[in-house]
Amino acid sequence: MVKICCIGAGYVGGPTMAVIALKCPSIEVAVVDISIPRINAWNSDQLPIYEPGLEDVVKQCRGRNLFFSTDVEKHVSEADIIFVSVNTPTKTQGLGAGKAADLTYWESAARMIADVSKSNKIVVEKSTVPVRTAEAIEKILTHNSKGINFQILSNPEFLAEGTAIQDLLKPDRVLIGGRETPNGQKAIQALKDVYAHWVPEDRIIATNLWSAELSKLAANAFLAQRISSVNAMSALCEATGADVTQVSHAVGKDSRIGPKFLSASVGFGGSCFQKDILNLVYICECNGLPEVANYWKQVIKVNDYQKNRFVNRVVSSMFNTVSGKKIAILGFAFKKDTGDTRETPTIDVCKGLLGDKARLSIYDPQVNEDQIQRDLSMNKFDWDHPLHLQPLSPTAVKQVNVVWDAYEATKDAHGVCILTEWDEFKTLDYQRIYDNMRKPAFVFDGRNIINVDKLREIGFIVYSIGKPLDPWLKDMPAVA
């Protein structure tokens, strides 16, 4: 029986291994992590992450051929194939601070694999890693190998949160990068055989190691670039009276461009986009390509500009001050159908409003108060370290109140900011919300999900990203 072990029971490791276990009943899959609370959660009825469909898959396989354990060394030494899915945060100090990936956790995983292995292993990088990580890992393993043969493969994940299970069950492609040696090709074939249980042959692509590693960074950079492109257009649309929804619809009808990732918003978030582009920038700089690095830097600059523009729009609309005013924040996750708050634009918007002394009342259907308070008090990039290495009990932000109902959040508020596109926000009773708010009542739609005309009829002053401006807002500067 083939045994697979995955080091790291997070957003990537958990769902990926659950689907492999579901589709390959003849393979024993163990997910290991040093975090006891996280493994306990995977073994309970309350899984540590929310993904539509994940619970069903885990419940079908757990205890049969899917196991979650803190006994890392036992499962690693028994495994034939080891997936490494550990955090690769952006460095906050030292060489490459603010851009380069921190491979501390990766390196310690590799050293542990070398220490406990008694038989040949295929080691698969699953975390997003900088190009040429495989080479570094290979060196650590071979220098400590004690005669054991290690083959390194790169198998980047292409999951979108909120649809991770569907993406795993029906992937656009599975990318496997390996060495162009007989042993390297054998290792690629072994991993191919696992995926071939449910993925059509023509969707499994074999490349060399570097191509596989770079493809992941490139894919995320291209997607983020599309969002920044449409967000840049949204600022121009507001300035000229055009409607960004109409513009992006017209642009997306061009079959060479296509309609996906063309929705203007308050900005992109998630654990990968910014991190991967910063990584790409650093790799370009290290390889003497400053022009290429600057090109990709602009994608992040436009994203930061969009978040600042939104905050400035809120403050300038409300008589240039939000000091002491209650503002409702609807949505904290970086997108709908996930509880993930990593790099969510809401954090920067909230911090901007808090900087102007606003009082915030926050509601998100999937994010709890502890997480929100933690996010608002943490430094940049802290979130990407394992929980036990994060600041222990962050001081609660006093002007922030987290509630469990949109109507409670908006009661007596001066303004409402919609920052995640949860479906329930489209169907709220906005008349009821208006009646319970201070006047003039403002709605700032950072996701373009509401019917602007209807809300104006009720009496709201409405700002919707990239849409023709409300007469009220026309004289207010958008950029401080």
Side-chain angles (χ1 to χ4, degrees), residues 49 53 59 69 116 141 149 158 170 172 187 199 202 214 222 258 271 284 328 342 348 369 400 413 429 446 474:
I49 60 175
K59 283 188 171 159
S69 167
V116 305
L141 290 171
N149 182 274
F158 294 102
K170 293 187 177 148
D172 289 339
V199 180
D202 60 332
L214 191 54
F222 277 46
S271 61
C284 293
R342 295 179 291 180
D348 286 334
E369 176 164 15
V400 171
D429 180 346
K474 282 219 168 99

Side-chain angles (χ1 to χ4, degrees), residues 109-151:
R111 289 183 183 280
M112 183 270 299
I113 292 170
D115 280 349
V116 305
S117 293
K118 296 180 180 66
S119 56
N120 294 347
K121 309 274 184 227
I122 296 171
V123 178
V124 184
E125 7 170 86
K126 201 74 188 151
S127 339
T128 308
V129 290
V131 182
R132 302 199 98 92
T133 300
E135 199 166 41
I137 301 310
E138 206 170 45
K139 282 179 182 158
I140 290 169
L141 290 171
T142 46
H143 281 284
N144 295 281
S145 69
K146 303 176 294 227
I148 290 166
N149 182 274
F150 292 103
Q151 282 302 319

Side-chain angles (χ1 to χ4, degrees), residues 9-26:
Y11 271 95
V12 176
T16 306
M17 294 304 119
V19 168
I20 288 178
L22 178 74
K23 292 294 183 180
C24 311
S26 61

Side-chain angles (χ1 to χ4, degrees), residues 154-392:
S154 172
N155 173 220
E157 52 82 19
F158 294 102
L159 305 180
E161 284 179 50
T163 57
I165 298 300
Q166 277 314 305
D167 295 341
L168 285 162
L169 292 170
K170 293 187 177 148
D172 289 339
R173 77 299 204 189
V174 171
L175 193 54
I176 304 173
R179 285 280 186 206
E180 288 154 326
T181 60
N183 278 342
Q185 295 303 302
K186 249 204 245 150
I188 290 175
Q189 192 55 50
L191 190 53
K192 259 188 175 175
D193 292 343
V194 172
Y195 283 111
H197 281 82
W198 78 97
V199 180
E201 185 88 22
D202 60 332
R203 294 203 172 180
I204 304 176
I205 305 167
T207 67
N208 71 30
L209 272 173
W210 319 143
S211 300
E213 289 181 327
L214 191 54
S215 297
K216 168 68 178 168
L217 297 184
N220 277 343
F222 277 46
L223 291 171
Q225 181 195 39
R226 279 177 76 105
I227 298 172
S228 281
S229 297
V230 77
N231 283 344
M233 292 310 295
S234 76
L236 184 59
C237 286
E238 288 168 30
T240 56
D243 182 330
V244 74
T245 333
Q246 295 174 352
V247 172
S248 62
H249 180 69
V251 169
K253 281 291 181 196
D254 185 324
S255 60
R256 295 165 304 176
I257 297 170
K260 290 186 174 169
F261 274 74
L262 286 182
S263 301
S265 68
V266 64
F268 59 73
S271 61
C272 285
F273 282 2
Q274 173 158 309
K275 184 167 88 171
D276 287 0
I277 294 172
L278 289 171
N279 216 323
L280 197 56
V281 166
Y282 184 65
I283 293 164
C284 293
E285 288 172 349
C286 289
N287 284 287
L289 303 170
E291 292 81 3
V292 183
N294 288 334
Y295 174 75
W296 289 110
K297 261 185 206 165
Q298 286 304 319
V299 174
I300 291 177
K301 278 190 179 163
V302 168
N303 196 49
D304 290 339
Y305 162 76
Q306 188 76 341
K307 291 182 280 194
N308 289 336
R309 212 167 66 79
F310 188 87
V311 172
N312 291 337
R313 195 59 96 179
V314 174
V315 177
S316 67
S317 307
M318 297 168 78
F319 313 105
N320 229 6
T321 176
V322 289
S323 180
K325 293 177 181 172
K326 176 178 173 178
I327 295 177
I329 305 289
L330 297 186
F332 201 87
F334 84 92
K335 66 175 181 182
K336 71 172 186 175
D337 293 337
T338 174
D340 193 354
T341 61
R342 295 179 291 180
E343 291 290 338
T344 172
T346 309
I347 293 173
D348 286 334
V349 171
C350 288
K351 284 183 173 175
L353 294 170
L354 289 167
D356 215 296
K357 299 193 169 61
R359 291 187 302 117
L360 305 183
S361 189
I362 303 175
Y363 164 66
D364 186 289
Q366 281 294 335
V367 186
N368 63 32
E369 176 164 15
D370 180 58
Q371 187 62 52
I372 289 171
Q373 288 288 6
R374 181 184 275 284
D375 286 333
L376 291 177
S377 51
M378 263 199 286
N379 294 325
K380 214 167 175 46
F381 306 127
D382 272 358
W383 56 268
D384 206 2
H385 291 269
L387 256 180
H388 64 286
L389 296 178
Q390 288 176 16
L392 270 181

Side-chain angles (χ1 to χ4, degrees), residues 4 145 363 426 460:
I4 289 178
S145 69
Y363 164 66
K426 297 175 188 173
F460 284 106

Side-chain angles (χ1 to χ4, degrees), residues 29-93:
V29 182
V31 184
V32 297
D33 201 296
I34 52 174
S35 165
I36 295 168
R38 175 168 279 186
I39 291 296
N40 287 347
W42 279 110
N43 282 320
S44 73
D45 288 337
Q46 192 65 52
L47 300 185
I49 60 175
Y50 169 73
E51 265 303 326
L54 174 63
E55 201 173 334
D56 293 344
V57 177
V58 170
K59 283 188 171 159
Q60 277 182 67
C61 306
R62 194 170 56 193
R64 189 189 70 195
N65 66 327
L66 174 64
F67 304 93
F68 296 94
S69 167
T70 50
D71 193 344
V72 180
E73 297 187 358
K74 169 183 181 281
H75 289 287
V76 166
S77 72
E78 290 175 0
D80 304 294
I81 302 175
I82 301 165
F83 285 84
V84 182
S85 185
V86 296
N87 303 58
T88 49
T90 305
K91 285 180 79 169
T92 47
Q93 53 198 50

